[in-house]
Each structure stands twice: as C-alpha cells, then as structure tokens.
Amino acid sequence: MKKKVTVAFFTLLTMTGNVFSQSSVDSLSAQILTPTAPLSPRINGAKVFGVRSGSPVFYTVAATGVRPMTFSASGLPDGLSLDAKTGIITGSISKKGTFPVVLKAKNAKGIAIRNFKIIVGETIALTPPMGWNSWNAYAGQVSADKVKRAADAMVNSGLINYGWSYVNIDDYWENNHTKTKDPKLQGDFRDAEGNIIPNGRFPDMKGLADYIHSKGLKAGLYSSPGVLTCGECAGSWQHEMQDAASFANWGFDFLKYDWCSYTKIASDSTQGVPMLSKDKTLDSIARVYPYDLMGKALRAQKRDIVFSLCQYGKADVWKWGAKVNGTYWRISGDLVDAWDKAELGTSTHKTVSDVGFNMEKCSPYSNPGHYNDPDMLVIGTVGWGKPRPTRLTPDEQYAHISLWCLLSAPLMLGCDLEKLDTFTLNLITNDEVIDIDQDPLAVSAIWVASHDSLEVFKKPLEDGSIAVGLFNRGINKAVITANWNDLGIAGKQTVRDVWRQKDLMVATNSYQAEVAPHGVVLLRLIPKK
Ligand code: GAL
C-alpha cells in the first residue's frame, strides 16, 4: 500500500524571478486561514473509538455550534449511556465487537448527524491522541493549579469541541532532591509500602484526575523506567506494577514513559536486566525490556491507559513499539521551535524539518492504535518555563501542523493554553485539517517526490480521497506541481484547499500551486464521479 514513486515524472519548478502562479492558491502568510465554525452544530473529531471490554468508557462528543446543545445517539451498545447536556459517553461494554453508532447534536440553529464506530477489542486510541502536555510550557515549574487551569483553558477556548482531549502532566509531579531546592519537592520518593508520593505541588492526584474528567477531558502522567526521570525526579524502577496501579487508581488515562537514567541500570551487570551492548540484537533486547515490563503492567489495569514510549527512537522503536503495548513512540530527540538545524548552532535538539521530513523509515509502522511520534507541537507560547512566543514563522507553523496531520502523528500541544492568541487558536481549530490527522486508516504520509528543497507527501484517506502536502523547504517562493501519475490516482479530481476549506477547481492530470518559503499548500483530492 505504501508506494514510493520516483521523481522521474515529476515537475518541480523553483521560483527565482517574478511571481508565476497557475493556481488560485496564494502563498500562506500571517493570515488567519481557518473559516469560522458555523453557529449550527457540527460534530468534529474522531470517527472511531476503541476500548477494551470491561474498561470504563469516557468519550466526549466534540461539536462546535452555539450552546445550549442537546446530544443523542442511536445504536449505543449495552452498558453505555450518553449525557444529553454534555455529550459525554460513559459506562462499559462487556461484549467484543464493532458497534456502529449515529451521533446527533441539536441546537437552536439546526441539527448535525455523524456516523461513529465503537470497537471493543484489544486496541485503544484508534486515532492519534490529541491534547496538551505540560513540558514545553512549564518544564520543572508545573503544578496541579497550572494543570487545572490548562484543563479550564482547553474547554473555555473551545479546543475541546474539536477533539482536543488529553491534559498530560510531564516530569516534576514527583519529588526531586537534586535539581531544585523548592521545598515542595523535597519529600520522600515513596511511602513505607513503596507507593510513589507526589510532590507538594500535587497534593491530591485523584482529585486532579477527577477535576480533569469533570471537564470532559482525559488525564495523563509521566514516569521513567530508571531510578530517576530526566529531570531527576523519582522514576518507576522496581516499582513498575505498583506505579501502574497507582496511576490507574488515581484515574489516569495516559502514561509517557521516558528512558532517561535507565541507561545506568542497563549498563550494570549486577541489576539482573538485559544489558546495553554493541551487538545490535542484544542492545535491542535491553531497550525493549523496560517498556515491555511497563506495557504489561498498564495492560493489567482495569482501565485503558495510552502508553507513550519516549526513548528517542533507539533500536528502531517503530518496529517493536506496538508489541510492548505502546500506543505511540517518539522517533527522535526533543523537538524545539526551529525550522532547521542551521538555526540551532551547536544544540543537539531537533527541528520541525529534520524530524518531520525524515519519517519515511517509520511510516509503514503507523496503523490504528499505533503511531510514530515526532514530538509535541512547538506553536503558541512555549519556552520551557520561560514563556515566549514560538520562533516558527506563520508559514512554518502551517507546514508543521499540516505535516504532523499527514503523518498521523499524535497532536500534543506544548504551549501555555492560557495564552492562546487568535492566530494559534485558528491554527489548531481547523476541523478539515484535524480530520486528516484523525482519519481512521491512520496511514502515515507517503513521500511521493522531492526535488531540491521541495517535497510532496500524500496520505490516503478512508473515503477514497487523498490528502496531499506540497512543501517548500527552501527560502524562495516555489511552484510545485502534483502529478496524478506520481500520486497514483487518475481522472477528474476536485481539488480542495484544506486550510481555507474551499474547492478550487476540478483537475484532470495535475495541479500546480505556488508555495511560500518554508510553507505548505495542503490539498484534498476527491475523485469526481
Ligand atoms: C525528555 C523528554 C521531554 C520531557 C523531559 C522531562 O527526555 O524528551 O519530552 O519529557 O525529558 O524531563
């Protein structure tokens, strides 16, 4: 299915002189592109939901439109109910199988109907998780208060109505004796029974998870297989099952598990675990081991917990992440808000370009429930504890979001949700762009052609159409041509500009667009009957 087409038939023209455009697509700029959502109801977000039998179901129907809104559903399997006011589906299902459901949302302006599928089986997160993580905004300054305010902001900004749902606490909810003198973080790592003790900024973990759930959102947490996390807080070493049980009892729905100091353990022959090695096969065994352990511990819990592997792509994690119960796996080091390497000097951090355009090797491993993770989105107010606006230009941000959606990447915002500006909010509330990410096939973009700094990616979608990203990584405007031959399609296609949500034309063999430097034109090609 994943076919790489050579560039032989592909026409790409780099612009150097006067503007030359055969399309009606203007280059993207600082402008707001996403049209305002209608006042009438529109159901957004995932079209399919996976749950294990017996696990608690918690799913908020995402819908834009004026409130009050009334929700209903037909075809809900036994054991589930829908709250007509909030649109939250809860309960649990004992029978395995696929349950087609019709969701309805009604307000004073009209009614929306959408087909939805609940699949009860072994796989959860059947579309890439969407949400927020505390690290890029707060790093070591995170607190329960800030997390609650992030949850409030996810609702008040309307993000929840587009399917944004996870509110995830990264490092620094645990105690820490080395990296900070904050008295609130100086407590014991564990109690007499070995249970992990949250730090003083997180006085009530269950209360916090309940609060997040009360908003219709899901709650996430972070740990490490080492003695210490990357920030030198308490890790889960030798307490894996016990920690998984604590996380589940508190009511968390997500765990990011970060390799960090585990190198020490896997390099010490007295620890009784597979050792890191120069031999590739042995090394891989050592790297899989701690994730397999936690994967099994999470699976043993009576709730569904998304498992996010963070070990920077070592030992080709994309080849085994799913086997250890992973939902998604980071494929490289930490992403920062830079377009390419040249902007970073000697830093070893990763950029949007060097991660996003180098995912071909792991693309074949993306499927419903399993995703490659190029890391959190670096838009909005980031700064890792020292707030500042992203350094990415608007065009780079459009390219970043488009690429992550084409890659079926998890969409985790890393910005301060209380400081969402109009541009950023517009960027992350385009239902048609999000639909590309959330497409139930979960295919990760297939590289179709490249020439100099111009790239074309395609992503087959469930309805038989394809999403196409025309990317210009260069510093001059460029005209990029999408040829049907290269894209593996034929005949008349309606060409839709996805960001502007506008049909542009019906084309037969190719489509050509001018693309801004470091920018994108994101298209959907819909076969015309
Ligand atoms: C890094 C990880 C970051 C963040 C940080 C916390 O290893 O890649 O995303 O979680 O640790 O200390």
Side-chain angles (χ1 to χ4, degrees), residues 135 170-171 222 230-231 256 258 260 310 312 330 334 375-376:
W135 187 251
D170 205 275
D171 210 355
Y222 168 99
C230 289
K256 172 173 168 185
D258 197 349
C260 304
C310 179
Y312 339 113
R330 279 268 297 278
D334 289 18
D375 208 356
M376 292 169 282

Side-chain angles (χ1 to χ4, degrees), residues 261-340:
S261 70
Y262 190 79
T263 298
K264 250 191 178 164
I265 290 163
S267 310
D268 177 353
S269 59
T270 66
Q271 298 290 355
V273 296
M275 301 260 295
L276 293 173
S277 166
K278 289 213 165 75
D279 178 278
K280 252 184 133 179
T281 313
L282 294 178
D283 194 68
S284 173
I285 292 171
R287 292 184 183 280
V288 171
Y289 179 80
Y291 286 94
D292 189 37
L293 205 62
M294 185 49 97
K296 287 189 174 124
L298 293 177
R299 218 172 170 78
Q301 306 309 313
K302 288 200 168 68
R303 62 186 295 120
D304 291 349
I305 300 179
V306 164
F307 189 27
S308 149
L309 278 52
C310 179
Q311 47 80 284
Y312 339 113
K314 298 284 185 201
D316 294 352
V317 60
W318 45 90
K319 293 186 181 155
W320 52 266
K323 291 187 194 129
V324 298
N325 190 34
T327 308
Y328 63 82
W329 39 85
R330 279 268 297 278
I331 53 98
S332 67
D334 289 18
L335 184 76
V336 290
D337 52 329
W339 178 253
D340 59 35

Side-chain angles (χ1 to χ4, degrees), residues 112-135:
I113 297 178
R114 173 132 133 167
N115 290 333
F116 186 66
K117 237 187 312 186
I118 297 176
I119 302 182
V120 188
E122 290 309 310
T123 314
I124 61 170
L126 293 175
T127 62
M130 292 172 65
W132 174 84
N133 168 296
S134 61
W135 187 251

Side-chain angles (χ1 to χ4, degrees), residues 107 291 307 310 340 368 396 410 439 498 510:
N107 69 6
Y291 286 94
F307 189 27
C310 179
D340 59 35
E396 290 169 348
D439 187 78
V498 184
S510 67

Side-chain angles (χ1 to χ4, degrees), residues 170-188:
D170 205 275
D171 210 355
Y172 279 82
W173 64 269
E174 325 87 330
N175 278 304
N176 185 312
H177 302 163
T178 42
K179 280 245 169 135
T180 170
K181 293 202 166 55
D182 183 343
K184 291 210 151 148
L185 275 66
Q186 305 307 313
D188 291 339

